[in-house]
Amino acid sequence: MLRRKTRRVQGAEESAGGAFDDPLDAAQERRVRAVLALGGVPQTDLPDGVQQVRLRLLERAASGAEAPRDVSAWAAVVASNLAMDWHRARRRQERIGERLASLRPPEHTGGDSGEETKVLSLAVAQGLDELPDAQRQILVLRFYADLPVRGIAEELGIPEGTVKSRLHSAVRALRTRLHEDEVV
């Protein structure tokens, strides 16, 4: 069986000019999915995790690095690291939510002004939910956590220009949403 598979892989190399279509076989993919699931990654994010493992394997091959001795074990370790990264990102989001909650001013007990603030707050929250994750993250860090553009860039490890671009797009999309809903 192993010889047949080896011949099949060699035949695929020859017909594809030396390139593989998929660096993970079905058993390795199942193992990666299992490691991700056991690591607490939700079912909806499992396909993305498998793709990340594939991408890292392909990047490794493209860089000329030596192939792992045991691809299955290497893929499982990468999947485990991805699961840890997923949890770290989730904890960061929770901490941001806690920080935002602590920044909220006390509830107004007055009449119309308090109601208008509630409507605006609800509309902004709904608008934020509709933004892409990257834009929402930048908007929250800039306006709710009050971080400067440079600080956001450093924290996220992206260029300042990218922060400015995402911030501009997010503000424009949120403004459009609020005008469509006739909130502002």
Side-chain angles (χ1 to χ4, degrees):
M1 170 113 167
L2 183 58
R3 287 183 188 157
R4 245 184 291 147
K5 185 173 183 176
T6 304
R7 283 187 206 125
R8 205 172 341 135
V9 169
Q10 287 171 346
E13 278 183 307
E14 291 167 5
S15 67
F20 289 103
D21 290 340
D22 191 352
L24 294 177
D25 65 24
Q28 292 164 339
E29 182 177 335
R30 282 192 303 273
R31 185 174 186 187
V32 166
R33 284 180 177 275
V35 169
L36 290 169
L38 290 171
V41 176
Q43 286 290 115
T44 56
D45 292 341
L46 292 181
D48 291 337
V50 172
Q51 287 300 89
Q52 283 293 321
V53 172
R54 279 191 178 102
L55 179 62
R56 291 186 185 175
L57 188 58
L58 290 171
E59 287 172 341
R60 181 180 173 124
S63 71
E66 187 176 318
R69 279 183 278 160
D70 183 355
V71 174
S72 186
W74 181 89
V77 169
V78 171
S80 176
N81 290 338
L82 287 172
M84 286 190 301
D85 291 345
W86 183 86
H87 282 290
R88 286 184 192 121
R90 191 169 140 236
R91 279 195 300 266
R92 268 194 304 270
Q93 290 297 329
E94 289 171 357
R95 284 194 305 266
I96 288 173
E98 291 168 3
R99 287 175 59 193
L100 288 175
S102 70
L103 294 174
R104 282 192 187 135
E107 295 274 335
H108 294 288
T109 55
D112 289 339
S113 176
E115 287 301 314
E116 289 175 11
T117 302
K118 287 180 183 178
V119 169
L120 181 58
S121 295
L122 181 60
V124 169
Q126 288 173 340
L128 282 171
D129 284 344
E130 293 175 3
L131 290 175
D133 292 339
Q135 288 181 359
R136 179 176 50 249
Q137 181 182 35
I138 300 273
L139 196 72
V140 167
L141 291 174
R142 177 66 188 104
F143 294 111
Y144 287 89
D146 201 28
L147 291 177
V149 169
R150 176 173 283 157
I152 295 169
E154 289 172 2
E155 286 297 316
L156 298 179
I158 58 177
E160 287 184 44
T162 302
V163 172
K164 290 176 184 178
S165 173
R166 289 179 185 170
L167 186 59
H168 176 78
S169 298
V171 168
R172 186 178 54 214
L174 189 57
R175 183 180 297 132
T176 300
R177 165 66 195 259
L178 294 176
H179 283 295
E180 286 173 358
D181 291 348
E182 297 178 356
V183 176
V184 289

